[in-house]
């Protein structure tokens, strides 16, 4: 299963706000971005030439998040979660 999330939280003006991947790609400079579920840092990816749509991926592999591609079935906070 691939990461297929198209929303995340961005630190904007001191608050975490949910934004879409399209917004994240357009923001410059890019704010800190984290996964809505586990809080781990994520990176936005543009739509790929192979048709895979724009999406966020965790910067580091995390098995405790159902929004990630390595979910092992048990949800735990990301060890590098942004707070
Ligand atoms: Zn996550």
């Amino acid at each position: 299963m691939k990461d297929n999330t198209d929303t995340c939280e961005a630190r904007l003006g001191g608050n975490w706000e949910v934004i879409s991947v399209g917004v994240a790609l357009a923001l410059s400079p890019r704010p800190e971005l984290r996964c809505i579920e586990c809080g781990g840092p994520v990176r936005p990816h543009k739509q790929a030439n192979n048709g895979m749509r724009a999406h966020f991926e965790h910067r580091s592999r995390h098995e405790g998040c159902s929004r990630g591609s390595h979910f092992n079935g048990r949800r735990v906070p990301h060890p590098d979660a942004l707070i």
Side-chain angles (χ1 to χ4, degrees), residues 8-9 11-14 19-20 24 27 36 40-41 43 45 47-49 51-53 56 61 63 69 77 81-82:
C8 78
E9 289 181 323
R11 196 197 298 273
L12 298 170
I19 63 171
S20 71
L27 286 173
I36 291 172
R43 178 168 45 209
H45 288 266
Q47 181 168 0
N49 290 333
M52 187 172 183
R53 64 196 173 87
F56 292 102
R61 175 185 164 127
E63 297 181 347
S69 46
L82 300 171

Side-chain angles (χ1 to χ4, degrees), residues 32-43:
E32 282 189 287
L33 303 172
R34 71 177 182 181
C35 174
I36 291 172
E37 181 177 318
C38 71
V42 295
R43 178 168 45 209

Side-chain angles (χ1 to χ4, degrees), residues 1 4 14 22 28-29 31 41 43 50-51 60 63 66-68 73-74 83:
M1 190 174 80
N4 63 354
S28 181
R43 178 168 45 209
N50 65 12
S60 58
E63 297 181 347
S66 71
R67 295 171 75 99
R74 199 170 70 88
I83 51 173

Side-chain angles (χ1 to χ4, degrees), residues 2-24:
K2 291 273 187 200
D3 281 26
N4 63 354
T5 64
D6 58 7
T7 54
C8 78
E9 289 181 323
R11 196 197 298 273
L12 298 170
N15 296 311
W16 289 101
E17 295 183 26
V18 176
I19 63 171
S20 71
V21 66
V23 170

